[in-house]
Amino acid sequence: MPEITLTTLVILCLAAAAAGWIDAVVGGGGLLLLPALLLGLPHVPAAHVLGTNKAVAIVGTSGAAVTYLRKAPVRVGTAVRIGLMALAGSMAGAFFAAGISSDVLRPVIMVVLLAVAAFVMLRPSFGTAAGDGAGEKVTRARTVTAIVLVGGGIGFYDGLFGPGTGTFLVLALTAVLHLDLVTASANAKIVNVCTNAGALAMFAYQGTVLWQLAGLMAVFNLAGAMLGARMALRKGSDFVRGVLLVVVFSLVAKLGFDQWTA
């Protein structure tokens, strides 16, 4: 492990806890965790930062998934199939990533996110137990659509570009499977575990994981994730909706800053 000051270590652990909380509620914890690692480890190769990020994130995601499994109606079989398709999609996206400039993708994703934010604000019933068909029986066609389009499509995006993948998963599962936002977050965690496991296996094989640092940060990430999952279950879809809008606007701001400084 590289030499890290106590102050930096404390900041990284707090960032891991906050990222775990955000990711458990609505996805998007990587918006905080990855930049914190990049800033805290400026002389560490990017591959090691990415590998360490995955090693931390998978622990919190798994903890949140277990918490949701105990109290939320998680469709494990469907979520795992979506996760496996997302894993395949991310590999395909990574294959094409070298030929596409992120400077082209950022404005497109920003427009999509702003449209999503407008939709969520103008449709207060979206993702509630009483709105937009939430809670109704899901047809086989919708399940297949979720596996192919949500898993494959968002997985491809994750491999191609990445930011906001967890948030897109929650929104897509809510829309396609007619889930409320809490249940969508729960199912998204299963998908995240699958995709994180695949990525972590590759990073571990390449030897680009700082295991000691990841282990310490993972403890805080797990605590934040379990707290976030419990708060989401207790406070319900309106709470998740509020956090979702904050995360979406934060992501737009980050992408805008990245575009401006590119």
Side-chain angles (χ1 to χ4, degrees):
M1 187 172 78
E3 291 187 8
I4 303 174
T5 65
L6 179 60
T7 300
T8 299
L9 190 60
V10 169
I11 291 173
L12 288 176
C13 288
L14 292 175
W21 187 92
I22 294 169
D23 204 55
V25 175
V26 75
L31 293 173
L32 178 59
L33 184 57
L34 187 56
L37 282 166
L38 288 169
L39 291 172
L41 307 172
H43 304 299
V44 173
H48 286 72
V49 172
L50 292 171
T52 304
N53 174 65
K54 286 299 180 185
V56 174
I58 195 171
V59 174
T61 300
S62 299
V66 171
T67 301
Y68 278 122
L69 278 169
R70 292 174 177 172
K71 297 184 178 180
V74 180
R75 297 166 183 170
V76 179
T78 300
V80 169
R81 282 180 286 172
I82 294 172
L84 293 175
M85 180 61 78
L87 179 58
S90 67
M91 293 174 67
F95 178 78
F96 287 100
I100 298 179
S101 172
S102 59
D103 291 339
V104 175
L105 287 174
R106 285 194 199 103
V108 176
I109 301 302
M110 287 169 62
V111 171
V112 171
L113 284 169
L114 288 172
V116 165
F119 176 81
V120 173
M121 287 189 294
L122 293 173
R123 294 290 297 274
S125 64
F126 178 74
T128 65
D132 293 304
E136 72 177 32
K137 185 177 180 180
V138 178
T139 64
R140 181 178 179 81
R142 281 187 173 273
T143 300
V144 172
T145 300
I147 294 171
V148 176
L149 295 184
V150 178
I154 294 180
F156 184 85
Y157 167 78
D158 191 23
L160 186 68
F161 192 48
T165 297
T167 305
F168 280 128
L169 271 175
V170 173
L171 288 165
L173 290 173
T174 300
V176 176
L177 295 181
H178 285 169
L179 304 176
D180 62 80
L181 285 168
V182 174
T183 305
S185 292
N187 284 269
K189 295 289 97 48
I190 305 293
V191 178
N192 285 159
V193 170
C194 294
T195 54
N196 283 342
L200 179 58
M202 181 59 68
F203 284 121
Y205 175 76
Q206 295 172 340
T208 56
V209 179
L210 303 175
W211 291 108
Q212 288 179 302
L213 176 61
L216 179 60
M217 292 178 64
V219 173
F220 288 84
N221 190 253
L222 176 61
M226 295 182 72
L227 176 62
R230 288 171 180 167
M231 287 183 68
L233 287 165
R234 186 172 69 251
K235 293 181 177 293
S237 294
D238 286 340
F239 169 73
V240 175
R241 180 173 174 272
V243 177
L244 171 66
L245 289 172
V246 172
V247 170
V248 167
F249 284 122
S250 298
L251 180 56
V252 170
K254 181 184 183 303
L255 291 174
F257 178 78
D258 290 345
Q259 184 72 12
W260 181 63
T261 57

